[in-house]
Amino acid sequence: MTDRKKTTIVLLSGDYDKVMAAYIIANGAAAYDHEVTIFHTFWGLNALRKDENIQVEKGFLEKMFAKMMPRGVDKMGISKMNFAGIGPKLIKSVMKKHNALPLPQLIEMAQEQDVKLIACTMTMDLLGLQKEELLDNIEYAGVAAYLAEAEDGNVNLFI
Amino acid sequence: MTDRKKTTIVLLSGDYDKVMAAYIIANGAAAYDHEVTIFHTFWGLNALRKDENIQVEKGFLEKMFAKMMPRGVDKMGISKMNFAGIGPKLIKSVMKKHNALPLPQLIEMAQEQDVKLIACTMTMDLLGLQKEELLDNIEYAGVAAYLAEAEDGNVNLFI
Amino acid sequence: MTDRKKTTIVLLSGDYDKVMAAYIIANGAAAYDHEVTIFHTFWGLNALRKDENIQVEKGFLEKMFAKMMPRGVDKMGISKMNFAGIGPKLIKSVMKKHNALPLPQLIEMAQEQDVKLIACTMTMDLLGLQKEELLDNIEYAGVAAYLAEAEDGNVNLFI
């Protein structure tokens, strides 16, 4: 164990605003020299999806889920006032105007700062997501790995 | 006070996926020998409802809320892609196929592992829920009891 | 640094029930002599909006967001069973009947107990909110200020 402080985030949500909040906190904590882990589960896994269409073998149920879920962060809705997709567009326009980093860059920055991005293998199974469909340089683990980090964490959040 | 690590979860959500995440983390932490408490408030109380219809005296407003809320976890929706109930059915089918424990068994396992299940008395009042309608062997308390646990907690989450 | 325990809450949600939970936990922790901080971001900022209409200069995009968002907590919906506004009215009636404090009083009580209310300046920019529109006696800061509090926090929640 090191003396560095630790931040862990369970990211279950797949809403653009919440994913953005998770990555802004993670990047901030990494800049403060925390060891940072984001454990992606359920809809949070969509933040790790590549945006191209990857051909993989899936069962019927898994195919249905995969079809219904957004591929990559640019296709996510927001948690409030989504208005059939107008909300996310509006947020992105305003972010551009204010020079705020859009989500794909926030994720890239997290990877550059060695934030540990973990995909929850149990929910990957449930939602029929396969490693080929997710970003490179991420880790795969279950709830035990999350708890091992979180029990020494200074800031533990569920988003 | 013991030397065991502590995990506390405030469960406000009544979405199948979020309740599942709460109980998977709770069971994992209990297996790691943490003292674990789940404090159920608002819609999270529905996780503790018995699935049969219990006859109790209620005022008109309380009756309305009780009618609108799902009785037990099997009737819960999911937080994303609920599609009028197709989402939860789909998740349950996939869980069965992958031999994942469904929610009622996760709750049973938590009780067997001595996870402390607390029902928030203030929101029980607001939503018109009575002790007869909730599972046996749970505790009843308010925010003070939650804070007493959480202030020594290693992992504190709000779900 | 003092020896007092610390509670920090990131409040991203603008749902009546979740904001209420945040302020009940904050007031409870303050009563327990914790140092308490609520960091309001995204829709959580609406909890800090004055309920009168304040005239400020805004760009077009910011004006759209500001219009779509509720002014003050009394106009918020709830996270489940909102039913076009019936849910919040129902909750407020039941709260009155049970002598529970409504949200505006919970916020006032938090201010009286010296709970530190912070508005996230980055999301204020995104949503086009200006200081004139928010309550008096609050602070303005970014994610760094939040992390400085949270890394020594005993109870850190994301709501």
Side-chain angles (χ1 to χ4, degrees):
Chain A
M1 199 191 310
T2 71
D3 285 345
R4 292 170 65 194
K5 299 220 169 187
K6 262 191 185 178
T7 292
T8 75
I9 295 171
V10 177
L11 181 57
L12 175 137
S13 168
D15 298 316
Y16 195 90
D17 46 334
K18 292 192 178 174
V19 177
M20 205 175 129
Y23 273 88
I24 287 174
I25 293 171
N27 279 318
Y32 263 170
D33 198 37
H34 285 211
E35 266 185 76
V36 187
T37 302
I38 307 180
F39 185 80
H40 299 73
T41 186
F42 282 100
W43 329 107
L45 286 168
N46 294 326
L48 300 178
R49 275 182 103 178
K50 291 179 183 153
D51 45 17
E52 66 265 44
N53 188 358
I54 311 287
Q55 295 300 332
V56 284
E57 287 288 314
K58 299 199 187 208
F60 176 70
L61 289 170
E62 289 82 357
K63 224 181 261 174
M64 273 184 74
F65 257 119
K67 273 241 171 96
M68 296 186 307
M69 293 189 303
R71 256 205 308 278
V73 292
D74 265 338
K75 294 188 196 74
M76 288 178 170
I78 54 178
S79 66
K80 285 273 134 185
M81 303 187 290
N82 196 50
F83 294 129
I86 298 176
K89 274 192 200 125
L90 196 49
I91 283 223
K92 285 176 212 168
S93 305
V94 185
M95 282 170 69
K96 205 168 168 184
K97 188 176 149 191
H98 289 279
N99 296 314
L101 282 184
L103 201 30
Q105 273 87 317
L106 285 173
I107 296 176
E108 230 180 275
M109 183 194 279
Q111 289 194 297
E112 278 164 21
Q113 291 197 95
D114 290 321
V115 171
K116 201 190 284 182
L117 305 183
I118 302 184
C120 169
T121 45
M122 191 205 80
T123 44
M124 280 177 65
D125 269 4
L126 288 189
L127 302 178
L129 288 171
Q130 300 184 16
K131 293 188 182 182
E132 290 81 356
E133 299 173 89
L134 302 186
L135 299 181
D136 303 323
N137 301 319
I138 62 173
E139 299 182 25
Y140 297 89
V143 68
Y146 160 69
L147 283 163
E149 302 279 355
E151 69 174 16
D152 300 318
N154 300 80
V155 183
N156 296 319
L157 304 173
F158 186 102
I159 297 185
Chain B
M1 198 191 310
T2 70
D3 286 344
R4 291 170 66 195
K5 299 221 167 186
K6 260 190 187 182
T7 292
T8 76
I9 295 171
V10 177
L11 181 58
L12 175 136
S13 170
D15 298 316
Y16 195 90
D17 46 332
K18 292 192 180 175
V19 176
M20 205 176 129
Y23 274 88
I24 287 175
I25 292 171
N27 279 318
Y32 264 170
D33 199 37
H34 285 212
E35 266 186 76
V36 187
T37 302
I38 308 181
F39 185 80
H40 300 73
T41 185
F42 282 100
W43 329 108
L45 286 168
N46 293 327
L48 300 178
R49 275 182 104 178
K50 291 179 183 152
D51 45 18
E52 67 265 44
N53 189 359
I54 311 286
Q55 295 299 331
V56 284
E57 286 287 313
K58 300 198 186 208
F60 176 71
L61 289 170
E62 288 82 356
K63 224 180 265 174
M64 273 185 73
F65 256 120
K67 275 242 171 95
M68 295 187 306
M69 293 189 304
R71 257 205 306 278
V73 291
D74 264 338
K75 296 190 193 72
M76 288 178 167
I78 54 177
S79 66
K80 285 275 132 183
M81 302 186 290
N82 197 48
F83 294 128
I86 299 175
K89 275 192 202 126
L90 196 49
I91 282 222
K92 285 176 214 168
S93 305
V94 184
M95 283 170 69
K96 205 167 167 184
K97 186 175 149 191
H98 288 279
N99 296 315
L101 281 184
L103 201 30
Q105 273 88 315
L106 285 173
I107 296 177
E108 232 179 275
M109 183 194 278
Q111 290 195 298
E112 279 164 19
Q113 292 197 93
D114 291 320
V115 171
K116 202 189 285 180
L117 305 183
I118 303 183
C120 169
T121 46
M122 191 203 82
T123 44
M124 280 177 67
D125 269 5
L126 287 188
L127 302 179
L129 288 171
Q130 300 183 16
K131 293 187 183 185
E132 290 82 357
E133 299 173 88
L134 302 186
L135 298 181
D136 302 324
N137 302 318
I138 63 172
E139 300 183 25
Y140 298 89
V143 68
Y146 160 68
L147 283 164
E149 302 280 355
E151 69 174 16
D152 299 318
N154 300 79
V155 182
N156 295 319
L157 304 174
F158 185 102
I159 298 185
Chain C
M1 200 191 309
T2 71
D3 286 344
R4 292 171 65 195
K5 299 219 168 187
K6 261 191 186 179
T7 292
T8 76
I9 295 171
V10 177
L11 181 58
L12 175 136
S13 169
D15 298 316
Y16 195 90
D17 46 334
K18 293 192 179 174
V19 176
M20 206 176 129
Y23 273 88
I24 287 175
I25 292 171
N27 280 318
Y32 263 171
D33 199 37
H34 285 210
E35 268 186 75
V36 187
T37 303
I38 308 180
F39 185 80
H40 300 72
T41 185
F42 282 100
W43 329 107
L45 286 167
N46 293 326
L48 300 178
R49 275 182 102 178
K50 292 178 181 150
D51 46 17
E52 66 264 44
N53 188 358
I54 310 286
Q55 295 298 333
V56 285
E57 287 286 314
K58 300 199 187 205
F60 176 70
L61 289 170
E62 288 83 356
K63 224 180 263 173
M64 274 185 73
F65 256 119
K67 275 241 171 96
M68 297 186 306
M69 293 189 303
R71 257 206 306 279
V73 292
D74 265 337
K75 295 190 195 73
M76 287 178 171
I78 54 177
S79 65
K80 286 274 133 184
M81 302 186 290
N82 197 48
F83 294 129
I86 298 175
K89 275 194 199 121
L90 196 50
I91 282 224
K92 284 176 213 167
S93 304
V94 186
M95 283 170 70
K96 206 168 167 184
K97 188 176 149 190
H98 289 279
N99 296 314
L101 281 184
L103 201 29
Q105 274 88 315
L106 284 173
I107 296 177
E108 232 180 276
M109 182 193 279
Q111 290 195 296
E112 279 164 20
Q113 292 197 94
D114 291 321
V115 171
K116 201 189 284 182
L117 305 183
I118 303 184
C120 168
T121 46
M122 191 204 82
T123 44
M124 281 178 66
D125 269 4
L126 288 189
L127 302 178
L129 289 171
Q130 300 184 15
K131 293 187 183 184
E132 290 81 356
E133 299 173 89
L134 302 186
L135 298 181
D136 303 324
N137 301 320
I138 62 172
E139 299 183 24
Y140 298 90
V143 69
Y146 160 69
L147 282 164
E149 303 280 354
E151 68 174 17
D152 300 318
N154 300 80
V155 183
N156 296 319
L157 304 173
F158 186 102
I159 298 185

